[in-house]
Amino acid sequence: MGVVEVSYNITVPSGIVFNFTNMLGEGRLSKEEVEQALESEGRAADAAVAKLRETGFSKAHLSKDGTPEHVYFPRMPYIKEGNPNTEASIIKLLRYSKRLRHYDVVVFLGVGGSYLGNKVLFDCFGGCHWNANPTLRQGQPRIYFSGNNMDPVDCNGLVFEVQRLGKRYDQLGRPLRVMLVPISKSGTTLETISAFTYFYDVFSKDKDIELDCTVVTDLRADVEKAPLLQLAEKFGWEKFDIKEGIGGRFCVMTDPGLVTMAALGGDIEEFLRGAREMDTYCKQAELHENPALMNALLKFLAYGKGRDIEVFMPYSMHLKSLSEWYVQLLAESLGKRYDRNGELKHYGRTPIVAVGTTDMHAQTQQHQDGRLNKVVQFLEVANPVEEAIVHNPFPEFKLFAQYEGMDMRKNLRAALNANEGALTSDNRYNARFVLPKLNEYYLGQLMYFLMLSVAYEGELADVDAYDQPGVEVYKRLMKEQL
């Protein structure tokens, strides 16, 4: 098969745009090297991911005990018996969403993927005003997060907030109904379980609080070795499953993440439909039309030219937590000492969280003038659901006249265009993804695309994208100290 002419501006059927044009040019990648790599390394990576979809196994991937372990994240979008999501599990989540309307507060307790993915959902479909705005909540509970850090100041701040609400509800003649949701596969995760036991002890003793719990854990575990299961059986708490073959950084599209979507009253089925349609498109597209493969290949090739930092920069405050989730996804998946043959590799880009326009006043100086070691990944929402038009309340001051009629949406796009143009004019690597709007469907498409990109790049770099041996080192040392 001959070398194909590749388009570097891909629009998928849903309307999401993946524009990689600025990854090429003087001082960057050439079309010839990309197109040759696509036919060799790219084709091999595509075949390997296809095999992963079919078999559920990735080359040389082993569990902590050294036995072969499934990798089932490509099956998450497909609601089917035997997959991580089934009709029964979705119905259970929908019922749980209705049940949570009878609670005032839900506290999700998780760390790593059991926190970061959930926080993405909350920020996108709830946001900073959720807890203070009953109209926005439409009957759903207030939502808080903890168990992601052993910070006593933060824990006590949440205790104060919940107890303050408890006193308010006591004045209304009823207790504050609180649901604690610890999320831990083993039931022994230090940050999560210490926070859970702390809150449970404090809140269960508070006369103004009516406390309940839901556990999210491995439901197939030996009960004798699974403390959360033991508690659930003793107290009759509701249980959700952490499925086999789904690592924490991929779990947002299964029970550990979908419980937060349920609490928000979000559309779980649309979220999964977006992921499913992205997967279907990528596996059916020609290599050069597959955005996840192209994303992986271009960044893999850029890494070979010294670009070992990736700045993920959405132009939306609601998507800052998506950058934080992506940091874990990229860092844990691709930051590896050895390749899959046991040879020393030290592979992986360092991911950086940024948000526009905020970090144009903080990081852009380094992006523009600093070391030539970065890829800047822009993310835009083309049609935000709200607008803000500025009017001049100070007509007596001529300086403020320039702000009259200013459209913040247009200014946000202008800032992105300027940042992109400045980097490109200096031959700096950058790419731009554009979501038509931000909803469950498009977020599902984007998050699954990023997971799939990591899978492709793991194949290109020949590293195990599904283990995390570096994390186990500090865990062992920490346990020794404790």
Side-chain angles (χ1 to χ4, degrees):
M1 183 175 179
V3 174
V4 300
E5 181 65 30
V6 177
S7 170
Y8 296 93
N9 190 357
I10 301 170
T11 302
V12 299
S14 67
I16 298 181
V17 177
F18 299 96
N19 189 343
F20 302 110
T21 306
N22 295 332
M23 296 291 287
L24 290 87
E26 182 183 345
R28 289 163 284 168
L29 301 173
S30 70
K31 288 187 177 182
E32 292 75 19
E33 67 183 310
V34 173
E35 289 163 14
Q36 289 173 11
L38 186 62
E39 279 299 316
S40 52
E41 293 108 307
R43 190 168 293 281
D46 188 57
V49 171
K51 186 175 180 181
L52 170 65
R53 285 191 183 98
E54 179 185 354
T55 66
F57 286 104
S58 177
K59 173 188 170 184
H61 175 63
L62 303 175
S63 66
K64 293 178 188 178
D65 61 11
T67 59
E69 182 178 55
H70 289 113
V71 176
Y72 281 153
F73 89 85
R75 303 184 183 188
M76 294 186 302
Y78 300 90
I79 302 170
K80 180 181 176 183
E81 198 62 38
N83 279 5
N85 291 306
T86 66
E87 287 190 15
S89 72
I90 298 300
I91 289 170
K92 183 178 178 181
L93 284 161
L94 296 176
R95 287 174 177 162
Y96 188 64
S97 179
K98 292 179 181 178
R99 181 186 171 198
L100 288 180
R101 294 173 71 87
H102 299 287
Y103 290 80
D104 306 299
V105 168
V106 177
V107 182
F108 289 104
L109 301 146
V111 69
S114 300
Y115 160 69
L116 293 165
N118 300 45
K119 189 64 162 53
V120 173
L121 302 181
F122 176 76
D123 286 354
C124 286
F125 308 120
C128 61
H129 302 297
W130 177 266
N131 290 335
N133 189 336
T135 302
L136 180 63
R137 292 199 305 274
Q138 294 185 335
Q140 296 300 134
R142 295 175 176 85
I143 295 172
Y144 300 92
F145 295 90
S146 189
N148 57 307
N149 197 330
M150 291 183 292
D151 181 345
V153 176
D154 186 66
C155 283
N156 286 330
L158 181 53
V159 167
F160 175 83
E161 171 66 7
V162 173
Q163 290 185 326
R164 181 189 69 80
L165 288 170
K167 294 186 185 304
R168 212 173 92 191
Y169 274 75
D170 181 57
Q171 294 172 356
L172 298 174
R174 72 167 179 86
L176 180 77
R177 302 185 185 105
V178 175
M179 178 72 80
L180 296 181
V181 187
I183 307 171
S184 169
K185 184 173 184 177
S186 65
T188 61
T189 309
L190 184 60
E191 294 90 343
T192 300
I193 301 306
S194 60
F196 168 61
T197 52
Y198 182 68
F199 291 137
Y200 188 89
D201 178 60
V202 172
F203 294 155
S204 63
K205 294 174 181 176
D206 192 316
K207 65 178 179 61
D208 298 329
I209 293 173
E210 182 180 291
L211 188 61
D212 196 0
C213 298
T214 298
V215 304
V216 186
T217 191
D218 182 358
L219 300 186
R220 296 164 307 286
D222 180 353
V223 176
E224 296 301 316
K225 299 178 182 178
L228 287 180
L229 275 183
Q230 292 175 32
L231 290 172
E233 290 194 1
K234 178 178 179 180
F235 294 107
W237 295 339
E238 186 144 17
K239 305 184 290 290
F240 286 92
D241 197 14
I242 295 181
K243 302 295 195 301
E244 187 257 340
I246 305 291
R249 54 191 178 271
F250 296 93
C251 74
V252 66
M253 293 180 181
T254 58
D255 284 0
L258 296 180
V259 288
T260 295
M261 189 73 92
L264 288 160
D267 196 326
I268 292 171
E269 291 166 291
E270 276 293 282
F271 185 51
L272 295 177
R273 184 173 75 90
R276 185 166 61 249
E277 292 188 5
M278 177 60 70
D279 187 58
T280 299
Y281 176 79
C282 288
K283 67 185 179 184
Q284 293 178 352
E286 297 293 333
L287 295 183
H288 62 283
E289 295 174 339
N290 178 342
L293 176 60
M294 290 300 295
N295 184 48
L297 181 69
L298 291 165
K299 289 173 180 174
F300 170 72
L301 294 174
Y303 176 84
K305 294 180 181 292
R307 273 57 184 181
D308 58 0
I309 290 176
E310 181 174 349
V311 180
F312 196 90
M313 192 170 190
Y315 274 66
S316 167
M317 289 303 295
H318 280 266
L319 287 169
K320 183 179 181 182
S321 56
L322 179 74
S323 292
E324 295 165 343
W325 170 82
Y326 182 64
V327 162
Q328 184 198 18
L329 179 69
L330 193 71
E332 285 193 347
S333 299
L334 299 179
K336 298 297 160 66
R337 183 185 298 263
Y338 300 104
D339 67 17
R340 294 186 296 190
N341 297 311
E343 299 295 324
L344 194 63
K345 184 93 173 184
H346 289 303
Y347 185 80
R349 294 185 303 288
T350 299
I352 301 293
V353 173
V355 64
T357 61
T358 303
D359 287 307
M360 292 174 69
H361 298 268
Q363 296 184 29
T364 291
Q365 173 61 38
Q366 171 58 239
H367 304 168
Q368 189 71 41
D369 285 355
R371 289 187 63 194
L372 297 170
N373 62 347
K374 288 171 283 295
V375 173
V376 179
Q377 178 59 68
F378 296 116
L379 174 61
E380 176 188 6
V381 179
N383 298 293
V385 293
E386 297 182 20
E387 65 175 21
I389 306 298
V390 178
H391 297 291
N392 179 17
F394 309 110
E396 65 273 26
F397 294 94
K398 294 182 179 179
L399 175 68
F400 291 96
Q402 63 185 310
Y403 297 106
E404 176 61 38
M406 180 181 292
D407 184 335
M408 286 191 183
R409 291 186 300 182
K410 290 181 179 178
N411 283 14
L412 189 66
R413 182 171 291 119
L416 195 166
N417 290 341
N419 199 355
E420 178 187 60
L423 290 172
T424 304
S425 70
D426 198 33
N427 299 316
R428 303 255 175 173
Y429 287 83
N430 65 91
R432 182 169 180 168
F433 304 157
V434 184
L435 300 182
K437 55 186 175 182
L438 182 57
N439 59 23
E440 291 92 335
Y441 174 78
Y442 286 115
L443 185 66
Q445 289 226 310
L446 180 64
M447 294 184 82
Y448 186 82
F449 157 84
L450 293 170
M451 295 180 205
L452 195 55
S453 293
V454 159
Y456 282 123
E457 191 170 350
E459 298 298 335
L460 292 165
D462 197 22
V463 297
D464 186 349
Y466 312 106
D467 68 354
Q468 51 186 54
V471 174
E472 302 307 321
V473 177
Y474 91 77
K475 285 184 177 179
R476 175 177 54 80
L477 293 173
M478 190 171 179
K479 286 179 180 178
E480 290 174 1
Q481 292 185 56
L482 295 174

